[in-house]
Amino acid sequence: MSEPETPSKANFIYERIDGELKRGAVSHIVTRFPPEPNGYLHIGHAKAICIDYGTAQKYNGTFHLRFDDTNPTKEDTEYVESIQEDVRWLGADWGNNLFYASDYFEQFYEYAVLLVKKGKAYVCDLSETEIREHRGTLTEPGKESPFRSRTVEENLDLFTRMRNGEFEDGARVLRAKIDMASPNIHMRDPVIYRIRHANHHRTGDQWCIYPMYDFAHPLEDLVEGITHSICTLEFEIHRPFYDWLLENVSEPPRPQQIEFARLNLSYTVMSKRKLLELVKGKYVSGWDDPRMPTLSAFRRRGVPPEAIRAFCEEIGITKYNSLTDLSLLEFFIRENLNKSAKRVMAVLDPVKLVIDNFPEGVVEEMDAVNNPENPSQGTRKVPFSKVLYIEKDDFREEAPKKFFRLAPGAEVRLRYAYFVQCVSVEKDAQGNVSVIHCTYDPATRGGNAPDGRKVKGTIHWVSAEHAFETEVRLYDRLFTIENVGDIPESEDYRKYLNPDSLKTLPRCKLEPSLRDAKPGERFQFERVGYFCADAKDTVEGKPVFNRTVQLKDSWAKIETKDARKQ
Ligand code: ATP
Ligand code: MG
């Protein structure tokens, strides 16, 4: 992201910062991305990263990556590592500014003591259920806890003993003392510390009390000198507590929270709980299964980070929740790959084609253009011989009227090679076409006829003797319905998983240059789609390929376009 592809669009966050800079309310912008290390990052997080990092960049400010690891039970170092890898891959650079909220546990504790001393927090012995019952509803005020009037001394003593491990989990909590009649439920004496005799992935058994998210987050921002704490809309209702807390423990200028609408993408889920369920239940092969909406899955599938950034830039920053169409993301992926990916020939569902009048044992080297959109990618040689493979689908015995590919008697162009005409077919015992026999016109080398005769179709091929056989996986949408988020909790969203989201083709025939594909390398298989050598299962000399995305254009359109070009 160091060189933005396009200038950033105007948005309400930039407008606000512009105003603050003008007034002198702020001078150096500091933002943070604060993932909780309890899962892998997904495309929604990418939107947040682009906003946090993009804002810091725009104002020559500072960007922090901060692990919000205050909850000991769900967090794991596996996630800490994957998150760093993904943020780096996306292109956000945190420099030396990598932080862990768990490093601030002592400071959180001191801030809590400060609140107690100010009479702004108290130890409460009500159970979790009782606290909930006392909280009231949206229409009714809450009831004050009988422990609310404890003295500062008593509170300090009890809070110290909570820290020292004298009490069981759930026996007591520390609560902010605000207003049980507040119309905002989050201001009704929220719990800020609870007892959890749990091992934390970084601090071990050092602590048995842990701060609640709403208490820890503003303090993390304060400790790090964050100026703009940008988060998703569901935190809007928590903002009064964010401000209340900072006003009680610090002087201005203070960090401020700004909310934006989260990204929802069609045909997928973004909830970490559900993603974890899919992984644990083996509905997918892991967090980086190319069907997942995680950044590691997109990477494995061959999606360039630039495409994700361009997509995030396009959707912009708004205050309204909506559902973004997956095809918009696919559009940006294609747009990027169209120019960057080398074009090669691969036959996914092969059938033999024999050129009867081509000399036995002769190999011709055909010149192929690596990317017509990007001539700097050069050309390569592709071996051509008497026996080829083409796609089964490119031949019909009984061709419909507008079928411009191969059929008995029809003539087509073999990409970068010759015109061939079908003369006969062989069939297997089941009556399926097993070999297509053609003759070629030697005068059409390179794909043009000197007599000016035209063919309507161009098909791709590989030389049977030189082709390289490998596995290709076709990935599709993970769910069959658009808005998976709309499914009520009472219904199992998993019944909408797309049973055809993965199709594995074990015996595809690829042009020989693909044998050297490096893990993660991206290609356009001409007329078929965009593919990427799988980074996990590729071994040297034997890459396997994942489909990144299909080609946008329909078969027919590509063929007529190709025919015109040649
Ligand atoms: P949970 O809190 O339920 O575990 P989360 O997705 O909010 O899940 P966090 O690790 O807390 O996970 O998220 C880190 C940051 O990413 C937060 O600031 C959050 O607002 C933002 N974020 C999460 N999901 C989205 C989304 N779909 N679109 C945009 N931003 C998101
Ligand atoms: Mg969260």
Side-chain angles (χ1 to χ4, degrees):
M1 259 181 270
S2 45
E3 280 163 46
E5 290 83 13
T6 45
S8 305
K9 286 198 220 163
N11 64 61
F12 67 93
I13 297 179
Y14 294 170
E15 269 167 36
R16 183 157 149 183
I17 295 178
D18 288 340
E20 291 166 359
L21 287 167
K22 223 167 164 181
R23 288 199 311 276
V26 63
S27 54
H28 183 77
I29 306 300
V30 188
T31 63
R32 88 288 171 263
F33 174 62
E36 187 182 349
N38 62 353
Y40 280 60
L41 296 184
H42 54 59
I43 181 91
H45 295 119
K47 174 177 178 180
I49 296 166
C50 287
I51 295 174
D52 297 327
Y53 183 67
T55 303
Q57 279 246 299
K58 179 176 163 72
Y59 294 99
N60 280 318
T62 309
F63 168 74
H64 293 187
L65 174 60
R66 177 206 307 150
F67 288 104
D68 206 338
D69 56 351
T70 54
N71 181 348
T73 52
K74 289 192 228 148
E75 299 164 1
D76 204 316
T77 43
E78 175 196 349
Y79 301 134
V80 169
E81 276 151 29
S82 75
I83 289 171
Q84 291 186 54
E85 190 181 353
D86 291 346
V87 175
R88 206 176 289 124
W89 175 74
L90 194 61
D93 178 8
W94 61 85
N96 294 322
N97 297 305
L98 177 66
F99 301 101
Y100 293 86
S102 54
D103 285 343
Y104 313 143
F105 279 156
E106 191 62 46
Q107 288 165 82
F108 296 151
Y109 180 79
E110 280 159 22
Y111 281 118
V113 169
L114 179 65
L115 284 184
V116 172
K117 285 184 176 160
K118 285 181 147 188
K120 300 278 186 186
Y122 61 96
V123 173
C124 180
D125 302 354
L126 293 180
S127 69
E128 212 181 315
T129 327
E130 287 166 325
I131 290 179
R132 204 176 318 120
E133 284 161 6
H134 276 68
R135 196 182 293 141
T137 64
L138 285 176
T139 48
E140 277 169 63
K143 263 198 326 221
E144 292 192 352
S145 158
F147 305 98
R148 201 173 197 262
S149 51
R150 274 179 167 151
T151 63
V152 169
E153 291 66 36
E154 194 184 352
N155 282 321
L156 281 178
D157 172 59
L158 285 170
F159 189 46
T160 311
R161 289 165 59 196
M162 276 170 65
R163 175 183 182 161
N164 292 342
E166 287 186 30
F167 313 118
E168 304 270 281
D169 284 9
R172 298 199 149 90
V173 292
L174 186 71
R175 297 176 70 176
K177 193 170 179 176
I178 312 176
D179 178 8
M180 288 307 292
S182 169
N184 182 337
I185 288 190
H186 300 280
M187 295 297 272
R188 294 181 189 171
D189 292 8
V191 173
I192 58 180
Y193 260 96
R194 60 186 167 176
I195 303 172
R196 273 283 158 91
H197 291 268
N199 186 278
H200 185 277
H201 72 110
R202 292 189 84 238
T203 56
D205 294 326
Q206 206 180 322
W207 292 88
C208 63
I209 54 171
Y210 288 95
M212 301 299 287
Y213 179 89
D214 275 359
F215 176 74
H217 204 88
L219 296 176
E220 293 158 20
D221 290 339
L222 180 69
V223 170
E224 290 178 17
I226 300 297
T227 54
H228 297 82
S229 181
I230 307 168
C231 62
T232 35
L233 276 183
E234 68 271 21
F235 292 105
E236 196 167 22
I237 192 157
H238 300 252
R239 183 164 15 111
F241 180 73
Y242 185 102
D243 292 338
W244 177 92
L245 176 61
L246 293 184
E247 276 158 26
N248 275 294
V249 301
S250 70
E251 295 301 320
R254 303 183 179 99
Q256 48 173 323
Q257 178 183 302
I258 307 179
E259 309 86 12
F260 68 93
R262 65 194 302 121
L263 169 67
N264 298 302
L265 200 58
S266 60
Y267 300 101
T268 193
V269 287
M270 220 84 91
S271 140
K272 276 197 252 178
R273 177 179 62 77
K274 288 180 183 161
L275 294 175
L276 183 63
E277 248 164 40
L278 295 177
V279 172
K280 289 225 158 124
K282 304 232 186 308
Y283 296 94
V284 292
S285 64
W287 283 96
D288 65 351
D289 183 303
R291 291 167 289 183
M292 294 279 273
T294 57
L295 297 186
S296 50
F298 282 126
R299 176 166 61 239
R300 202 171 156 195
R301 190 158 165 167
V303 174
E306 295 83 2
I308 295 182
R309 273 152 32 198
F311 165 75
C312 288
E313 180 61 32
E314 172 64 24
I315 55 178
I317 310 176
T318 69
K319 279 266 186 196
Y320 303 96
N321 283 318
S322 61
L323 184 67
T324 301
D325 198 333
L326 182 59
S327 56
L328 185 67
L329 175 59
E330 290 175 347
F331 168 84
F332 282 100
I333 298 171
R334 280 188 201 104
E335 192 165 76
N336 180 291
L337 294 176
N338 181 42
K339 295 198 182 70
S340 62
K342 184 170 158 183
R343 298 190 192 177
V344 291
M345 292 195 281
V347 177
L348 302 194
D349 187 15
V351 60
K352 236 176 214 169
L353 183 151
V354 176
I355 305 174
D356 294 343
N357 60 340
F358 195 87
E360 199 91 40
V362 169
V363 181
E364 285 191 31
E365 297 284 334
M366 297 301 176
D367 287 307
V369 179
N370 287 334
N371 189 337
E373 301 280 330
N374 186 352
S376 70
Q377 289 188 19
T379 59
R380 69 184 186 289
K381 301 278 186 199
V382 186
F384 182 88
S385 64
K386 185 180 178 78
V387 183
L388 311 172
Y389 287 111
I390 64 163
E391 300 282 355
K392 260 186 203 144
D393 208 36
D394 279 339
F395 176 82
R396 297 276 164 84
E397 235 186 327
E398 319 245 334
K401 212 158 166 229
K402 292 225 163 156
F403 187 79
F404 297 135
R405 293 167 261 165
L406 206 51
E411 188 171 45
V412 296
R413 173 188 298 108
L414 294 176
R415 185 81 161 146
Y416 300 123
Y418 293 101
F419 285 9
V420 290
Q421 186 176 19
C422 173
V423 289
S424 65
V425 295
E426 287 175 44
K427 291 188 181 177
D428 63 16
Q430 286 79 46
N432 298 315
V433 174
S434 52
V435 184
I436 301 162
H437 286 273
C438 290
T439 54
Y440 85 119
D441 177 355
T444 57
R445 194 177 201 277
N448 285 305
D451 64 5
R453 91 181 177 276
K454 300 279 177 216
V455 287
K456 283 215 169 113
T458 300
I459 63 175
H460 61 278
W461 50 272
V462 293
S463 164
E465 179 194 339
H466 305 89
F468 144 68
E469 187 177 278
T470 194
E471 179 179 299
V472 172
R473 298 117 174 214
L474 304 183
Y475 293 102
D476 211 335
R477 298 175 165 170
L478 186 53
F479 286 90
T480 54
I481 55 167
E482 234 183 320
N483 200 344
V484 194
D486 268 359
I487 297 167
E489 283 298 316
S490 55
E491 209 181 328
D492 190 351
Y493 66 98
R494 286 171 294 198
K495 77 178 188 217
Y496 297 103
L497 278 164
N498 177 6
D500 302 318
S501 60
L502 168 59
K503 221 158 117 194
T504 303
L505 309 173
R507 315 208 98 83
C508 300
K509 305 282 188 183
L510 277 50
E511 70 165 70
S513 72
L514 282 167
R515 215 187 287 269
D516 302 322
K518 300 277 164 294
E521 203 177 344
R522 307 177 183 107
F523 299 92
Q524 184 191 119
F525 290 179
E526 290 209 41
R527 303 174 64 237
V528 178
Y530 292 102
F531 291 79
C532 170
D534 189 88
K536 259 195 177 165
D537 302 330
T538 286
V539 290
E540 214 183 305
K542 175 101 180 152
V544 299
F545 289 88
N546 298 330
R547 181 168 73 194
T548 312
V549 68
Q550 282 171 283
L551 288 174
K552 171 183 62 183
D553 300 352
S554 67
W555 286 93
K557 232 164 136 193
I558 290 170
E559 279 167 10
T560 47
K561 221 169 77 193
D562 276 358
R564 248 183 285 123
K565 259 190 213 153
Q566 287 202 351

